Amino acid sequence: MKPALKRLFGATAAVATCATALLGTGAGTAAANGRAHCDRAEQAIWIDDPSRNLTAHGCTMPDNKHRWVRVDIDTLVLKHYKDEYENGPVDHTKTVHDRTVSCLGYTTDKGTVNLFGCPPN
């Protein structure tokens, strides 16, 4: 093989390796930023005060252990109750899209994610 051709292959391999390493580093940083994503979530609104808890479905949660987790929610359903009881009558619901909330933590149970400590935004 000619020396010029060897150098060309070597340079191409070096560029490909460097690009792969950079892309891998960027993807790792994006996954480690503490963000989660949920398709759908519900939040109770007691008279005029929102609950600090959300129930979410279709979530991908980060595997890091940050104290706060940011959650991107595609569809958030706000249930406005007539009184202070969860089993009480619902006055109305409001659906909002593409919201981001910050929560103190979460638990998971059979495909449902229970987010807690979410201050109202």
Side-chain angles (χ1 to χ4, degrees), residues 16 32 47 73 80 85 106 117:
I47 301 178
I73 301 171
H80 292 262
Y85 305 104
Y106 65 92

Side-chain angles (χ1 to χ4, degrees), residues 11-120:
T12 303
V15 168
T17 303
C18 183
T20 303
L22 288 174
L23 288 175
T25 303
T29 304
N33 70 359
R35 281 188 180 260
H37 177 267
C38 295
D39 294 332
R40 183 180 195 318
E42 297 92 28
Q43 183 178 26
I45 308 291
W46 313 114
I47 301 178
D48 285 325
D49 187 31
S51 171
R52 304 305 189 255
N53 301 327
L54 283 92
T55 303
H57 308 280
C59 298
T60 55
M61 303 305 289
D63 57 357
N64 53 18
K65 302 296 181 201
H66 289 291
R67 182 159 180 85
W68 285 88
V69 61
R70 291 183 55 122
V71 184
D72 297 324
I73 301 171
D74 290 340
T75 304
L76 176 61
V77 178
L78 304 170
K79 290 184 180 181
H80 292 262
Y81 287 90
K82 290 183 179 182
D83 52 27
E84 297 290 326
Y85 305 104
E86 188 170 5
N87 293 332
V90 175
D91 184 39
H92 66 280
T93 60
K94 180 180 178 182
T95 303
V96 293
H97 300 281
D98 301 322
R99 291 293 169 110
T100 300
V101 297
S102 295
C103 299
L104 187 58
Y106 65 92
T107 61
T108 58
D109 182 40
K110 299 177 186 169
T112 300
V113 176
N114 299 304
L115 299 153
F116 56 87
C118 309

